Amino acid sequence: MSTSSQIRTVRTRFAPSPTGYLHLGGARTALYSWAFARHHGGQFILRIEDTDVERSTPEAVQAIMDGMHWLNLDYDEGPFFQMQRMDRYKAMIAKLLDQGDAYLCYCSTAELEQMREQQRQQGLRIRYDGRWRPEAGKALPTPPEGVNPVVRFKNPASGAVQWDDLVKGPISINNEELDDLIIARADGTPTYNFCVVVDDWEMQITHVIRGDDHINNTPRQINILRAIGGEQPVYGHLPMILGPDGEKLSKRHGAVSVIQYDELGFLPEAMINYLARLGWSHGDDELFSREQLVQWFDSSSLSKSAAQFDPEKLSWVNAHHMKQTDRALLANETQKRLNAIGLDSNAGPALAAVLDLVIERAATLVQLRDEAALFYREPSVNADELRAMLDEPTRLAMNEFAQGLNSLDWTVDNLSTHMKTVLKAHNLKMPKLAMPLRLMLTGITQTPSIDKVMALMGQSIVMQRIEAGLAL
Ligand code: GLU
């Protein structure tokens, strides 16, 4: 890290190419850049790298913004769009040409292919051979007629590029290994690596945190940055996220778009917590809030090895955050999800009380909705299943239980005592009554403790449903 970047205000950026949804890897990069800036009281910038016009779409821009919005990763500047900054890049290319750090190359595609073929045959490394590169005392070929040249960056011929990577540690690449990169195509449009450098410099980015698929670009970008008079930022290259099977994370492993996790019932707070741990740690802490993350997130505990996506752990983290969430908020979320499947939580017991009862049984908001749904829908009872449970002794007991409900003061304790009294009188075990009751009241046999379910459902509904069940 250079001394001056220690003094400069921290400025990080997330620079996605809008060619698809915001996937987990992208979301993690955004999160780390955001958390690093917030931790240091700096600024976080969103830059959309849309120069690949064939593959960039407005839908993808929207998907990225939606993902960031859902995760609540707020940015201080942007979104900047590279396509709107073409003039800046062109001006910089002109400057480099002017100062002799870039040159025109008239090689045709066929010529380049021939060059590569020769290199292959001679067992040499495939690279541009510098035939149009101006050197002192070297005679350059005559520019062919009617050919629009590309612009190449005149990479230093000797020396090395070095940086102390936040994740990988010190890295040094000899300039001999780098050839002269094309920075503007024949039609004048700047290339990806060039735009990144101009932007990182003009946007005064102090820390570039990105996926390690970009690590080969870094020495080239540093050289270009030096040529345009920029100051080297600190780089941190994050290892990729692997699927549970150790392969690169892909659709095969389930949802890969971050926003899909909203539909699947995950809370943004849980996603933040989980993604933060995919490549960073704070002691043994597995469960933490956004605020704690910001407080703790520095670069000292970034992991060098690839993280593995673990859906079970994500569910566990989500279950924790659901319990931490204010009940009113959780009720709101659940209400929305109930409405979406045509159920109305106003047509039954108070949702907050229902959530208290079922929260332990759910790891996602979808599971929570399904558990809560028992209280807001008409059960569809399988008559055969119920009849099989109601053998004669059980039927007698059930009748007696139902009769006693009439005059019962409707509390969990009273319901539980009443059940036990009836069971004892009929010499039956708990499941004999509890199972058919579950079925009659909810349509299923996997429910929370039945006395609690009855207490919440309310006297009249419980009595109606038992009556209906016994009549089946
Ligand atoms: N636009 C690049 C990508 O989406 C990121 C470039 C960078 O972070 O430097 O992979």
Side-chain angles (χ1 to χ4, degrees), residues 163 165 167-168 208 210-212 214-215 218 235-239:
W163 77 94
D165 198 278
V167 183
K168 318 245 173 204
V208 171
R210 60 185 171 194
D212 67 3
H214 287 284
I215 206 159
T218 304
Y235 292 92
H237 291 91
L238 307 169

Side-chain angles (χ1 to χ4, degrees), residues 356-377:
D356 278 339
L357 178 60
V358 297
I359 188 130
E360 287 296 337
R361 304 167 60 84
T364 66
L365 294 169
V366 171
Q367 288 170 2
L368 196 62
R369 175 204 69 191
D370 290 345
E371 291 285 339
L374 299 187
F375 294 88
Y376 307 106
R377 71 167 174 233

Side-chain angles (χ1 to χ4, degrees), residues 213-250:
D213 47 332
H214 287 284
I215 206 159
N216 291 335
N217 291 331
T218 304
R220 301 169 195 282
Q221 293 184 0
I222 292 174
N223 278 332
I224 299 174
L225 188 68
R226 284 181 189 156
I228 66 173
E231 192 177 324
Q232 188 169 325
V234 176
Y235 292 92
H237 291 91
L238 307 169
M240 65 164 87
I241 303 176
L242 304 176
D245 54 1
E247 300 287 322
K248 190 172 186 290
L249 191 66
S250 73

Side-chain angles (χ1 to χ4, degrees), residues 373-384:
L374 299 187
F375 294 88
Y376 307 106
R377 71 167 174 233
E378 280 298 315
S380 97
V381 181
N382 180 322
D384 291 339

Side-chain angles (χ1 to χ4, degrees), residues 340-351:
I341 57 167
L343 297 176
D344 178 8
S345 63
N346 295 316
L351 189 48

Side-chain angles (χ1 to χ4, degrees), residues 24 91 214 317 352 370 397 451:
L24 290 181
H214 287 284
V317 171
D370 290 345
D451 45 0

Side-chain angles (χ1 to χ4, degrees), residues 6 73 82 137 159 205 219-220 232 275 357 361 383 395 429 471-472:
Q6 277 170 340
L73 300 181
Q82 286 189 325
I205 303 302
R220 301 169 195 282
Q232 188 169 325
L275 287 174
L357 178 60
R361 304 167 60 84
R395 210 171 257 278
K429 295 244 175 324
L472 275 175

Side-chain angles (χ1 to χ4, degrees), residues 109-126:
T109 323
E111 232 179 307
L112 286 172
E113 193 36 56
Q114 198 185 16
M115 183 192 305
R116 290 192 197 110
E117 188 47 44
Q118 252 170 23
Q119 287 167 341
R120 259 192 290 272
Q121 278 172 14
Q122 292 166 14
L124 298 172
R125 201 147 45 85
I126 310 295

